[in-house]
Amino acid sequence: MKVGRPLLMIPGPVICDPEVLSALSKPTLSHVSPKFIEIFSKTLEGLKKIFLTEKGEIFVVAGSGTLAMEMAIVNICEPGDNILILSNGYFGERFKEICERYNLKVDYVEVKEWGENIQPETVREKMQKKEYKAVTLTHVDTSTSVSAKVKEIGEIVKDTDTVFIVDGVCATAGEEERMDKWNIDILFTASQKALGVPPGLAIIAFSTKALETYEKRKEPVKSYFMDIGLWKPIMDAYAEGQAAYFATPPVNMIYALYESVKQILEEGIEERFKRHQTIAKAFREALKALELQIVPISEEYAANTVTGVYYPEGVTDEEFRKNMAKNGVIVAGGLGKLKGKIFRVGHMGTVQPTDILATIAAIENSLMKCGYKIKLGVGLEAAQEILTKI
Ligand SMILES: *Cc1c(COP(=O)(O)O)cnc(C)c1O
């Protein structure tokens, strides 16, 4: 059977709400028209509520999460600066690669085994020995589905001149995350993850401390497009209900973002965190019942937006995911050194309890077809136990 509407359960892009998608097909307006100015202005205002920041300044630019990572680095750091990179996996490694391109002095701290979590104590020790211009941390490293100790590490960085950069690409608007309260200086995400919008936008917030650090630069930012000094007057103008031009904003993408921001605020950010927690918990209970092991070494570390799961002995990535697709559910394979060893299920954005149940049913079915001995329904039952409590 040809599956006409597969259930997309990967860690981005995610399934989008139909209203969000239809916003894309509205007539493209001039980027300086009053109507667009109003939409952009409300979008920026709404994003601050989602990032949980009052003073932070939001930048929305065409691009992906990787652009946002690079924007954070190039605006804060200058060649020769010390930077501390805390890595729980693949996207931590990416930060290192970016920083090396810009000739920064990189101290790279990574977990010994993927699935572990960088401990605040390690950060404290590092910061006592050296002054860093910035510290980077990946909130949810999508490769391992470990959720980092952002709040605890923020406490350590807080009273220093170091800029705390957090990659929220697989977290913001899904995983509990509080920019102001947790002392995050730069927080960014991309549209296609927990914000539930198609890929195409990088969204990045700078705290006052981050903006001040930018102001103190000795040299201009080497990139023209990524220079937030050029973007700031534009974002300020839109926020105040006026237009200004630097580079044309992706008008229709911003309509879609606006629609999603509206929906997120209607649900309420705290409610949204809870929904993600419940669905993730239900999924983990199902995996336990199926005797499958998750990548995070402790459930405490497990993210609520994505879950990485080890294949049991004898089940191959290719066969499993082929069967999943036949069942109409698309899940992701592993990244980096976990490629072929795990599958990953994204459960963020508009994800519903029935989506995770359908995914569990497809996992049971596919595992059985791959020769893994299970009793059909045990995963579903465990998940239902959690879902019926809400
Ligand atoms: C997806 C992701 C990125 C990269 O985003 P792109 O939009 O693919 O460039 C960066 N960091 C994390 C944590 C991610 O999940």
Side-chain angles (χ1 to χ4, degrees):
M1 185 188 79
K2 178 177 173 292
V3 179
R5 44 169 189 81
L7 187 61
L8 189 62
M9 296 294 284
I10 64 173
V14 301
I15 295 177
C16 299
D17 182 272
E19 297 281 326
V20 170
L21 292 178
S22 72
L24 290 170
S25 63
K26 283 191 180 161
T28 301
L29 295 175
S30 158
H31 59 291
V32 295
S33 64
K35 184 70 197 152
F36 179 70
I37 293 170
E38 189 193 336
I39 287 173
F40 203 174
S41 167
K42 285 186 179 158
T43 306
L44 292 169
E45 194 187 312
L47 284 166
K48 285 172 81 165
K49 295 186 181 135
I50 294 169
F51 278 59
L52 292 165
T53 183
E54 275 178 18
K55 289 222 180 106
E57 169 124 14
I58 309 264
F59 299 83
V60 177
V61 299
S64 80
T66 307
L67 180 89
M69 293 174 81
E70 194 158 347
M71 259 179 104
I73 300 297
V74 297
N75 280 286
I76 295 302
C77 299
E78 302 187 54
D81 279 348
N82 292 322
I83 186 163
L84 178 61
I85 295 171
L86 308 171
S87 174
N88 281 337
Y90 183 88
F91 287 102
E93 284 176 356
R94 177 165 294 188
F95 256 135
K96 177 169 169 269
E97 285 173 17
I98 293 172
C99 291
E100 284 168 352
R101 290 278 173 115
Y102 290 99
N103 296 326
L104 306 183
K105 288 190 193 132
V106 177
D107 276 357
Y108 182 67
V109 177
E110 67 180 324
V111 286
K112 277 206 198 77
E113 295 291 336
W114 282 16
E116 292 173 1
N117 209 350
I118 294 281
Q119 297 304 316
E121 225 16 71
T122 314
V123 183
R124 194 185 306 277
E125 280 164 23
K126 279 282 181 191
M127 287 192 62
Q128 274 163 358
K129 285 195 204 121
K130 209 187 265 185
E131 255 182 54
Y132 292 100
K133 190 64 158 295
V135 174
T136 74
L137 181 64
T138 313
H139 190 168
V140 172
D141 203 305
T142 324
S143 61
T144 63
S145 67
V146 166
S147 184
K149 301 187 172 223
V150 180
K151 184 181 167 191
E152 291 84 347
I153 295 171
E155 280 295 318
I156 297 166
V157 185
K158 161 172 99 170
D159 296 319
T160 67
D161 289 334
T162 307
V163 174
F164 186 31
I165 299 173
V166 175
D167 172 349
V169 179
C170 195
T172 310
E175 193 80 18
E176 182 189 1
E177 181 182 71
R178 303 172 192 280
M179 181 167 172
D180 286 2
K181 256 200 192 148
W182 292 3
N183 304 293
I184 303 170
D185 296 307
I186 298 183
L187 179 62
F188 57 83
T189 188
S191 49
Q192 79 277 17
K193 307 255 173 137
L195 284 170
V197 177
L201 295 175
I203 297 130
I204 180 162
F206 275 59
S207 71
T208 308
K209 177 171 151 188
L211 289 172
E212 282 167 5
T213 307
Y214 170 88
E215 291 300 332
K216 285 186 215 142
R217 293 180 65 88
K218 291 188 210 85
E219 285 175 28
V221 174
K222 284 277 185 274
S223 159
Y224 187 67
F225 184 77
M226 283 190 280
D227 187 343
I228 55 137
L230 299 176
W231 284 107
K232 193 172 180 299
I234 313 304
M235 297 299 149
D236 286 343
Y238 276 108
E240 285 155 21
Q242 280 149 22
Y245 168 73
F246 164 51
T248 311
V251 170
N252 291 59
M253 280 303 297
I254 290 168
Y255 292 164
L257 178 62
Y258 170 63
E259 194 53 47
S260 185
V261 163
K262 236 179 23 186
Q263 290 179 7
I264 293 168
L265 295 176
E266 273 162 22
E267 178 180 20
I269 192 72
E270 303 296 334
E271 279 305 309
R272 194 174 175 90
F273 294 156
K274 267 191 225 140
R275 172 166 56 83
H276 282 79
Q277 285 158 8
T278 308
I279 289 175
K281 173 83 178 150
F283 186 48
R284 290 194 298 267
E285 288 303 313
L287 296 170
K288 260 185 244 165
L290 292 167
E291 291 174 33
L292 296 176
Q293 198 198 332
I294 60 172
V295 179
I297 58 160
S298 147
E299 198 173 340
E300 257 177 73
Y301 298 167
N304 295 302
T305 48
V306 57
T307 303
V309 188
Y310 286 104
Y311 285 118
E313 189 84 25
V315 177
T316 67
D317 182 51
E318 196 193 346
E319 200 190 353
F320 176 76
R321 287 202 289 141
K322 212 160 63 190
N323 274 295
M324 287 296 284
K326 268 196 211 157
N327 276 291
V329 181
I330 311 299
V331 297
L335 279 178
K337 57 184 168 193
L338 288 177
K339 198 170 175 5
K341 294 185 180 153
I342 66 164
F343 65 95
R344 293 174 305 143
V345 173
H347 32 77
M348 62 184 132
T350 57
V351 68
Q352 297 294 323
T354 46
D355 297 333
I356 207 70
L357 290 172
T359 305
I360 296 163
I363 289 172
E364 292 185 352
N365 180 310
S366 304
L367 285 174
M368 184 166 255
K369 294 213 175 106
C370 291
Y372 182 63
K373 294 215 171 18
I374 50 158
K375 189 166 167 290
L376 286 175
V378 293
L380 283 169
E381 189 181 340
Q384 290 280 39
E385 286 290 331
I386 304 293
L387 295 172
T388 47
K389 283 194 199 121
I390 51 171

